[in-house]
Amino acid sequence: SSEVLEAIENVIQGVVQSLAQKKAPVLTVANRTDWRNIEFKDSVGLQMIPGCTSKQIRSDCPQSAGRFALMLKILSMIYKMVQSNTYATKRDIYYSDTQLFGSQSVVDQIINDISCMLKIPRRSLHVLATTKGFVAGNLSFTEEDGTKVNCTCSATVFTVPSNVQGIKNLTSHAKFILIVEKDATFQRLLDDDFFSKVSPCIMITGRGIPDLNTRLLVRKLWDSFQIPIFTLMDADPHGVEIMCVYKYGSVSMSFEAHHLTVPSVKWLGLLPSDLERLNICKDALIPFTKQDENKLASIQKRPYIACQPLWKKELEIMAASKLKAEIQVLTSLSSDYLSRVYLPNKLQFGGWL
């Protein structure tokens, strides 16, 4: 915490010095969303290059003066929280003055900018993200406040903790971790008692694009147990994008890649090649939209696809067919095909990439 306080004090000192010299104070923030500032490393995923380009948030420029003020406001809130050892969610910060902030996304972006500017992970700033992910299966742990969580005893779903860094005493006999893209598929596998039938496993869903806590938990489980991690996604560009976020990280959070990415993640399904192999009826597939085509083309150009020839091949199959499929398409074969046939066969015979 002293490191965080010192970092904030240095920023404020810079502002005060500028004012003393009759200069307009400026905050310098790295360009987080520019691909030119990102490098790809096999062992880490997408990370920021050391000498990346930055943007200036000036106090004397009408376009950025408001943002400059909001950054100082949130810095002061973070400073107080770290001093008093209290925490707030991004939502709490927004609702502390909705008129001032204008929207939740403004708060989210400023917090990420501050984290990147101070080079301090967001959790250390005492700002918690609202969690939307779920976890179930063969896992128990103790939360920071001493609450014991045991996912093993039942088919109950537990919300991913809002302070993943604080959890301890993780125990599990799981043989693998299964990341499921969608809540509906996750619930279906729970109803089918999948995680105890095949072999003990841990199931996680970020319910779409994963939030920070879900990604942190996947990384913590990998660090703790070093067991295989598989992903179960829709066979569409959006599903591939989500899988890449778990494995290689996202551009906007690349400054935190070392804490978030899990490059050992494997693509278990639904593979575009599975659709032909399983003779899925063409009528059950969904034609691409223009947006799908653009998204797929953008993914195919990314640096990490070049080092994954088998993934590249699957994306080419998808691009050629211009058809996509949700995991639910497997119910056209039988209602419990996913948990009874598809996943057990894949896990037994190594059907992942």
Side-chain angles (χ1 to χ4, degrees), residues 95-261:
Y95 279 109
S96 70
D97 198 333
T98 53
Q99 276 190 305
L100 177 71
F101 294 119
S103 76
Q104 181 71 61
S105 64
V106 168
V107 173
D108 298 354
Q109 283 168 9
I110 286 176
I111 287 164
N112 283 344
D113 276 344
I114 287 172
S115 174
C116 186
M117 176 176 75
L118 301 177
K119 295 188 171 52
I120 289 170
R122 194 166 73 190
R123 323 168 269 303
S124 306
L125 302 176
H126 286 228
V127 178
L128 304 172
T130 314
T131 298
K132 63 181 180 120
F134 290 146
V135 60
N138 195 294
L139 175 70
S140 59
F141 56 84
T142 309
E143 290 198 45
E144 196 181 33
D145 62 3
T147 308
K148 288 186 167 54
V149 176
N150 188 353
C151 313
T152 312
C153 358
S154 62
T156 315
V157 171
F158 290 88
T159 305
V160 169
S162 57
N163 190 353
V164 174
Q165 294 308 98
I167 67 175
K168 47 191 184 291
N169 307 331
L170 286 96
T171 51
S172 176
H173 302 294
K175 296 285 181 278
F176 62 90
I177 295 162
L178 182 66
I179 299 171
V180 182
E181 178 186 349
K182 283 184 181 158
D183 195 19
T185 311
F186 184 83
Q187 298 292 348
R188 178 70 215 229
L189 290 172
L190 275 180
D191 294 344
D192 290 351
D193 201 18
F194 169 76
F195 64 78
S196 55
K197 272 183 189 160
V198 179
S199 67
C201 74
I202 299 167
M203 291 200 322
I204 290 182
T205 179
R207 298 161 76 197
I209 294 170
D211 59 282
L212 191 69
N213 293 326
T214 304
R215 290 175 62 190
L216 281 168
L217 183 62
V218 171
R219 177 58 195 248
K220 195 168 184 101
L221 293 173
W222 162 247
D223 288 338
S224 304
F225 305 123
Q226 302 278 310
I227 52 178
I229 301 182
F230 301 115
T231 56
L232 182 62
M233 306 281 149
D234 288 341
D236 66 9
H238 190 63
V240 175
E241 172 91 282
I242 289 170
M243 175 171 59
C244 291
V245 169
Y246 284 106
K247 187 175 174 76
Y248 297 120
S250 59
V251 174
S252 62
M253 293 299 288
S254 56
F255 63 96
E256 267 206 65
H258 290 270
H259 309 286
L260 292 171
T261 59

Side-chain angles (χ1 to χ4, degrees), residues 267 305 308-315 352-353:
W267 188 2
I305 297 299
Q308 288 279 5
L310 295 174
W311 283 31
K312 199 175 169 199
K313 213 169 159 186
E314 292 293 331
L315 298 184
W352 57 79
L353 306 177

